[in-house]
Amino acid sequence: MEAEYNEHMLNVDLHCHSTISDGLLTPAEIATRAHRNGVDAWALTDHDEMGGIDEARATAKQLGMRYVPGVEISVTWSGRTIHIVGLQIDETNPQLIQGLYDTRHGREKRAQQMGDMLAAVGIPNAFEGALRYVGNPKLISRTHFARYLVESGVCKDINEVFRKYLVEGKPGYIPHEWSKLADCLRWIHDARGVAVVAHPGRYNLNQLEMSTFLEEFQQLGGVGIEVVTGSHTPEQYLEYAKVARRYGFLASRGSDFHAPNESRTELGALPPLPSDLTPVWRDWF
């Protein structure tokens, strides 16, 4: 009973981003902020990139905070973009390193096309503007464009930018073919990690599509889903807790923090997981 209590009482944040991908703070700054907010165990999960892990781990160790090496991998499934978080990975694994390299390839060309599309609707120099926010030019993303469009006064906030320009059917959206789900899970397993579906409530999947996806994910060795996340509403906490129970998934918790005054949820500020769910970190600490 004591072990279960401790698992659920830990303040665990297993999803956030730094300047290595599309965050605005360095890995060390993110670690320091998490620690200041009372986080006990933490993972940096940059998009398709593990370049911040050494700095993150070293800072967490210095602060006395438990650290979980992680990465968020972009997947194309049935024409949709899905994100899979790999946790407790071995970041030196050559298959994972190569897979992430292949996944990142093409982001810069896509970004230039996005800039051209935005220029065609009267927003010039968006590509150059987005580059000012990029810590790693190989990982330029829609979020970097969104920050520039807010800065230049085109929109009042990032959510408005995405809604008007950067989602499917809007003038700045360029689709991209990411990794395959089977490849993604194989890389995570090769690196001795565990695979977790990131913020499942964000995907525009109907009930049948979501069921089909989760069944395939589970058949390929996926073991968890994010239940309590900064990308979910309180109603979705309950909805995906039910999903975790139905499939027997381990449950994860993560803020999806990107930047102060920009993210919906601060590091370490989420409510705990429902007490009957098994945390993904159950055997880690």
Side-chain angles (χ1 to χ4, degrees):
M1 188 67 179
E2 181 67 16
E4 181 182 356
Y5 171 81
N6 287 336
E7 285 172 358
H8 285 86
M9 290 304 293
L10 285 174
N11 189 345
V12 178
D13 195 321
L14 299 179
H15 188 156
C16 65
H17 301 274
S18 75
T19 50
I20 298 299
S21 60
D22 59 348
L24 285 182
L25 302 180
T26 67
E29 289 170 335
I30 290 277
T32 302
R33 191 179 188 94
H35 183 259
R36 187 170 66 240
N37 289 356
V39 172
D40 299 305
W42 169 68
L44 178 68
T45 54
D46 277 312
H47 292 285
D48 306 315
E49 172 63 78
M50 301 182 292
I53 286 180
D54 286 346
E55 181 181 333
R57 179 187 284 117
T59 308
K61 182 178 181 180
Q62 184 180 24
L63 294 168
M65 184 169 55
R66 299 170 178 92
Y67 181 70
V68 176
V71 65
E72 185 174 14
I73 304 177
S74 306
V75 167
T76 298
W77 182 85
S78 190
R80 318 287 179 82
T81 297
I82 306 284
H83 291 165
I84 305 295
V85 173
L87 297 171
Q88 285 290 58
I89 54 170
D90 171 9
E91 73 274 15
T92 67
N93 178 267
Q95 287 78 25
L96 179 59
I97 292 170
Q98 184 63 49
L100 293 178
Y101 175 84
D102 293 342
T103 301
R104 292 192 301 270
H105 183 71
R107 274 184 181 261
E108 191 169 6
K109 180 179 178 182
R110 175 193 184 220
Q112 290 170 339
Q113 292 174 328
M114 289 169 63
D116 293 341
M117 296 284 284
L118 290 169
V121 294
I123 305 173
N125 304 316
F127 174 71
E128 293 77 9
L131 281 174
R132 298 210 304 268
Y133 290 94
V134 176
N136 182 348
K138 297 298 183 185
L139 283 173
I140 187 169
S141 71
R142 291 182 298 167
T143 301
H144 299 117
F145 279 88
R147 288 176 182 143
Y148 171 69
L149 265 63
V150 171
E151 175 206 304
S152 58
V154 174
C155 295
K156 68 178 187 301
D157 58 34
I158 283 179
N159 287 335
E160 184 183 356
V161 177
F162 272 84
R163 191 171 64 252
K164 289 185 175 180
Y165 295 102
L166 299 180
V167 296
E168 189 172 357
K170 300 301 180 179
Y173 179 79
I174 301 291
H176 186 75
E177 188 72 22
W178 305 109
S179 62
K180 292 180 172 59
L181 183 63
D183 292 337
C184 168
L185 266 68
R186 187 179 69 252
W187 303 333
I188 292 171
H189 295 151
D190 285 345
R192 301 195 302 277
V194 298
V196 173
V197 179
H199 39 61
R202 260 179 49 177
Y203 310 123
N204 187 26
L205 301 177
N206 63 37
Q207 188 173 352
L208 177 60
E209 290 168 332
M210 178 61 78
S211 297
T212 302
F213 167 72
L214 290 174
E215 288 167 8
E216 183 178 342
F217 171 76
Q218 193 167 51
Q219 289 166 4
L220 290 168
V223 298
I225 61 169
E226 289 184 347
V227 172
V228 178
T229 161
S231 294
H232 282 176
T233 64
E235 292 76 21
Q236 287 175 319
Y237 301 161
L238 301 177
E239 178 183 352
Y240 288 97
K242 291 179 181 177
V243 171
R245 295 182 191 106
R246 186 181 314 135
Y247 287 87
F249 284 136
L250 301 176
S252 194
R253 175 182 188 262
S255 60
D256 198 10
F257 181 84
H258 285 72
N261 305 315
E262 183 178 293
S263 298
R264 286 173 52 180
T265 306
E266 256 290 354
L267 290 152
L270 290 166
L273 292 173
S275 61
D276 66 308
L277 298 183
T278 303
V280 69
W281 59 85
R282 61 179 177 173
D283 299 323
W284 295 352
F285 313 124

